[in-house]
Amino acid sequence: MKFRAAVLRKSGLPRPYADSRPLAIETVEIPPPAFGEVVVAIKAASLCHSDLSVVNGDRAWPMPIVPGHEAAGVVEEIGPGVHSVKSGDHVALIFLTQCGECEHCIEGRPSLCARGTQANREGRLLTGGPRLRLDGQAVYHHMGLSAFAEFALVSEKSVVKIPADLSFVDASLFGCAVMCGAGTALYSAGIRPGQTVAVFGLGGVGLSAVLGAVTAGAGRIIAIDPSEAKLALARSLGATDCVNAGNTSAVEAVRELAHGGVDHAIDASSSLEGFGNAFEATRRGGCTVTTSLTHPSQKFSFPVARIVAEARTIKGSYIGTCVPGRDIPAFIQLHRQGRMPVDKLVTGTLGLDRINEAFDDLAEAKVVRQVIIF
Ligand SMILES: [Zn+2]
Ligand SMILES: [Zn+2]
């Protein structure tokens, strides 16, 4: 099967991407689905900071690669041995395939799946590969998905069935932004009703963390970002207080609002400064959680004695500690009841041909979620 896909041959090209054009729309080819594989016709795929990290080179991947890891579509074809979905089913894609057999999967923590992580690192599917071809040459898969394309050949374990009447644009957000953000608030931080929360950085993940904090029943939710538009959006999603990080010391402002510090500070800023601010804005005995994938070379230091004497917790949260098969349907249900309005995260939609320009807008933090529609 042949179809159009956004192929990245080299990362780290200079901005603006509208001029350097790191992503080329090419015709790629896949074989028929093998055992345990499905072909999904992609209907909507959104741009996430992790895709930008592939383009700008912050995260190293084998090349050439087709990025895209936050998407929804329709099952086009199933391979032998596939029982969980059939042709015509609507699905959300998940970017860490859960093998169901490793120690992490068995423990109920599929966001750490060892075999899925290994396959992702190698740019192939859990079932093998790479399966994508361009002029006879191998093209690598991003996160087992490669969703910036008209079709994706993926493991059966990379899809979760969703209701057929859910908008694909909304559905695309659940696999990354919503699980990473809402899951961080609900599961990684474990916010209890009435607790105070600060969210640093209001991209798709940070705003989803605000939604998760609302769902958890947080008492005070302080949103921090340099963009007034994103602060206003956070307020409309349920943030009780907003701090413009550009105008004032974010740490001092949060401490004042929360009488010394918050119970949970969530860092979704993708910057060391944001993580440091989240740490300092956390009260004694509180928990600082980061979902930010900064450059792997970046390090942070703090006095260990403070962790002890102030009984602090510092946590990393990957995919919000979610169990996709459990949590995507649950979050969709909340969305449909109007209690998790993820549709508000969508800044706009575009065609695949505009993908380089869209990465410029993302790099300049002008947008929350831009969704490519097919
Ligand atoms: Zn993502
Ligand atoms: Zn596993």
Side-chain angles (χ1 to χ4, degrees):
M1 178 186 235
K2 288 186 177 182
F3 53 87
R4 295 192 322 142
V7 180
L8 180 75
R9 286 192 171 82
K10 189 175 187 301
S11 63
L13 292 187
R15 277 165 50 200
Y17 299 131
D19 295 337
S20 61
R21 307 205 79 74
L23 289 151
I25 310 304
E26 310 259 18
T27 299
V28 297
E29 195 169 0
I30 51 170
F35 193 90
E37 293 177 349
V38 300
V39 177
V40 177
I42 303 293
K43 298 296 180 189
S46 50
L47 274 74
C48 164
H49 217 270
S50 296
D51 299 307
L52 180 62
S53 75
V54 181
V55 174
N56 69 18
D58 273 1
R59 313 284 290 179
W61 289 89
M63 302 275 162
I65 192 167
V66 176
H69 67 283
E70 188 176 297
V74 180
V75 176
E76 176 83 4
E77 189 183 351
I78 63 171
V82 172
H83 300 295
S84 62
V85 288
K86 59 184 188 307
S87 295
D89 280 350
H90 292 207
V91 290
L93 301 184
I94 53 179
F95 65 79
L96 182 62
T97 316
Q98 333 159 29
C99 77
E101 293 162 9
C102 72
E103 59 179 333
H104 302 294
C105 284
I106 288 168
E107 198 194 0
R109 300 193 67 184
S111 64
L112 296 177
C113 175
R115 292 176 59 207
T117 302
Q118 186 64 23
N120 278 3
R121 279 198 192 125
E122 293 168 7
R124 57 177 177 81
L125 306 180
L126 185 69
T127 44
R131 302 260 189 261
L132 289 160
R133 288 285 180 279
L134 172 60
D135 299 328
Q137 300 290 310
V139 176
Y140 292 93
H141 302 261
H142 181 219
M143 300 285 203
L145 301 178
S146 288
F148 293 148
E150 291 169 327
F151 292 91
L153 176 62
V154 303
S155 161
E156 170 187 19
K157 291 171 178 171
S158 294
V159 305
V160 171
K161 208 173 151 181
I162 59 171
D165 57 346
L166 181 67
S167 127
F168 287 114
V169 171
D170 295 351
S172 71
L173 305 177
F174 286 90
C176 180
V178 178
M179 277 204 293
C180 293
T184 293
L186 289 160
Y187 306 129
S188 311
I191 297 165
R192 294 198 309 272
Q195 286 191 309
T196 53
V197 181
V199 179
F200 289 80
L202 300 175
V205 173
L207 288 165
S208 295
V210 170
L211 290 172
V214 172
T215 303
R220 198 153 192 182
I221 304 168
I222 306 167
I224 303 102
D225 197 272
S227 158
E228 280 299 328
K230 289 179 183 174
L231 291 170
L233 181 52
R235 196 179 282 280
S236 80
L237 297 176
T240 57
D241 301 271
C242 292
V243 172
N244 189 316
N247 300 343
T248 173
S249 160
V251 172
E252 289 311 312
V254 172
R255 278 187 181 153
E256 196 173 319
L257 285 165
H259 310 295
V262 291
D263 295 307
H264 304 273
I266 296 172
D267 164 40
S269 69
S270 298
S271 74
L272 274 195
E273 188 193 358
F275 175 72
N277 286 344
F279 179 76
E280 293 298 343
T282 307
R283 74 170 177 84
R284 297 172 77 237
C287 179
T288 310
V289 190
T290 182
T291 68
S292 285
L293 284 168
T294 49
H295 191 283
S297 67
Q298 290 195 306
K299 293 181 178 163
F300 189 85
S301 71
F302 47 77
V304 174
R306 279 187 69 191
I307 308 296
V308 178
E310 299 175 14
R312 286 169 173 272
T313 304
I314 299 173
K315 271 186 159 182
S317 172
Y318 194 53
I319 323 181
T321 322
C322 282
V323 178
R326 177 194 71 189
D327 294 316
I328 289 179
F331 292 155
I332 287 174
Q333 199 173 5
L334 292 176
H335 167 60
R336 306 193 111 187
Q337 294 167 355
R339 294 158 70 192
M340 201 176 264
V342 304
D343 49 293
K344 289 189 177 178
L345 306 187
V346 178
T347 308
T349 59
L350 62 144
L352 187 61
D353 296 327
R354 299 276 305 160
I355 191 165
N356 288 302
E357 289 80 358
F359 272 110
D360 280 325
D361 289 342
L362 181 62
E364 287 160 29
K366 284 182 183 166
V367 290
V368 179
R369 275 300 190 260
Q370 308 173 88
V371 185
I372 296 171
I373 48 175
F374 295 88

